Amino acid sequence: MSLSDRSKTILAELVSNPRITSMALAKKYGLSRRQLGYCFNYINEWLITENLPAIERTRQGHFIIDQAVFTKLNGEEEPVGSTILSVNQRVYLIIMMLLSSEEELSLTHFTAELSVSKNTVLRDLKKVQTYLNDYHLSIRYSRKSGYLLEGKEFQIRKLLINVTYQILQMHGGKSRIKELAHIRSEQINEIYRRIENVENKLNLKFTDEKIETMPYILILVLRRIEKGKQVHSFSIQYEELANTKEYKATEEIFYDAKQIPVEERLFITLHLLTTNVYWSEYLTEDDAIPNLIPAIDHMLRLFEKSACIYLRDREQLLNKLLQHIKPAYYRIKYQLTETINIQDSLSKEFKELHHLVKRSTGPLETLIGNSIPENETAYITMLIGGWMTKQGDSIEKKVKAIVVCPQGVSVSKLMFNELRELFPEFIFLDSLSVREFLDYRLDYDIVFSPIYLETDKKLFKCKAFLGHEEKYRLRKQVMLELHGYIPKDIHVNHLIDIINNHTVIKDEKALKEDLQNYLNRDEDSSVKQNIGSKDIRLNELISPQYITIKNSVASWEEAIRVSAQPLVETGKIGPEYVEAMIHRTEEDPYIVIGPNIAIPHAAPEEGVHEVGMSLLRLEKGVKFTTDHVIHLVIVIAAVDKKRHIHALMQLMKLASSEKDRNRLINTDTVEEIYEIVKLYSTD
């Protein structure tokens, strides 16, 4: 008795995913309950003829599968030809045939090789095309040439490397590749021998996994080169790779293959560089990528700040990350990262860590010149998370907070940063809009927001901009709510008694004095801004010459130009900064900081010569998006991230006052606007 294609597919799914329910199984493969029942009966009949126990199905739709079934279908003793292939496995094998076949391929070739019907192959070919979409490749069929792969050779090579790896993970994968690609064992053994020689000669050591896959990949790549399917011009830089040990390894492995062009040698070098390669316990300076170590160190410091921890044995962790990130550097730079999603394998705590790692990878992105793919950040997360677990560190017990602010990104970020400084012992995961909050998936303990929100977590309502006394009260309220005490209500004598119970105090008077100084320090010391004589006040920036009053303007773009004109005329900004503000507004419209008031701005390097602000008051507001009409346009020109902050905070307080905001909108004179600005420029 033999199984139909449908029954083979269902059995393969049950063996690879035994926890699937009958309802989920039917939905996944588009089957009715009756069709699934027929398949199930055929599968059990086939199992009985193979002297295997039948699969049971519970009333709840779960399956009970005997271990003997798994052993028979996945065991090492199972002949390759009799293994039931899953859909994904058939997809990989079809792609390997397309990559390596010496003859024209028709449906008959696929049906014979995979032991399935033509209809199944046609369905599988659609799935192959879906898989190829990630590589920007396509399948073309013609009567003359059969089925062919089309697309850039560089992308085909990426596909070849990934699919070879996937097939080698299958049961009997080595035999399948040898059979499909007509690779002889002696060819594999010769490459093995050359790799071992390279390891000894150049003091390189490849991982066991890569040693297994490299011979097959190198043989298949060489064949494509010999057929004239070569990688030509692409962005790999000779100067960057030619002095690496991996380039020397490429030359050693192919010492007798003189026909390999330089571009191909660079591609093979790149393949070696993107694998996990170790040559000593610690990388030497000669092997390091310029500025990679400082970038990793900076990334770790940002992570420590976000996670509220100090990593122990930091140098060892730095080296461990360097071993992984060096090959990742080349994968990311040349877009060779695998497309397989590994995020689902992250544990609950690791998912929170992953979020914090992603927020810390800016230094690496700047160095590489590309954003870090999700898979690469997931690998980095597992390395850091594993290290923390080994050292006994965790973020699980730390208070995790989010900030929900409906007033736009600019206000939200300021609120987020202020609260993070106010509560340095908390992990602040994100600043969110209300809509983002409703769909938020990470676990958190408390929410800060200026509005009421429906949540089963602790909600602390607070203003977007907090004054000195408001910060003091909020910190007391939160600590009392979370911990049941106010930090200042701790008595030194009680502490001395507790310490005396556990240790010998050498100098009780000095200890008491130190504890007293610590407990009675200014509670706001952790949240004070460095507001000294050098801080610029709001009225110093928005002086009368930078205030413009108009009845109306034709468009939002004109509003920016009119508001910015005084800054352009005095040389504080260049005309290019005005264009940059307009462009950034199109990209990120969240610059509204209160009803009828907006603060367009761009990056300092886009045309700022001197710190400045300018204000435009419009009697008839200008429409900005469908949700906002703006009467007050304040252009901000920042030279760095600090000098304008004090004035900006004063502006935010003004924006939060409905009374004074309306006075600004309704006034008719520059002098009156300036008097209102001065009211918020005294603290």
Side-chain angles (χ1 to χ4, degrees), residues 209-221:
E209 182 184 66
K210 297 306 176 186
I211 284 281
E212 290 296 310
T213 60
M214 272 169 46
Y216 297 90
I217 290 169
L218 294 178
I219 288 168
L220 291 171
V221 166

Side-chain angles (χ1 to χ4, degrees), residues 623-641:
K623 195 167 185 180
F624 175 67
T625 76
T626 55
D627 303 319
H628 301 287
V629 174
I630 303 299
H631 290 269
L632 299 169
V633 181
I634 295 100
V635 166
I636 297 177
V639 290
D640 54 33
K641 294 181 180 179

Side-chain angles (χ1 to χ4, degrees), residues 470-503:
E470 291 166 326
K471 288 178 183 177
Y472 176 82
R473 287 196 296 271
L474 178 63
R475 182 165 176 85
K476 277 195 169 186
Q477 178 198 353
V478 172
M479 289 306 187
L480 190 60
E481 182 81 18
L482 293 182
H483 304 300
Y485 67 86
I486 300 171
K488 201 168 186 177
D489 292 347
I490 300 174
H491 299 288
V492 170
N493 288 334
H494 294 167
L495 287 177
I496 292 292
D497 291 340
I498 293 168
I499 295 168
N500 256 324
N501 289 334
H502 298 279
T503 188

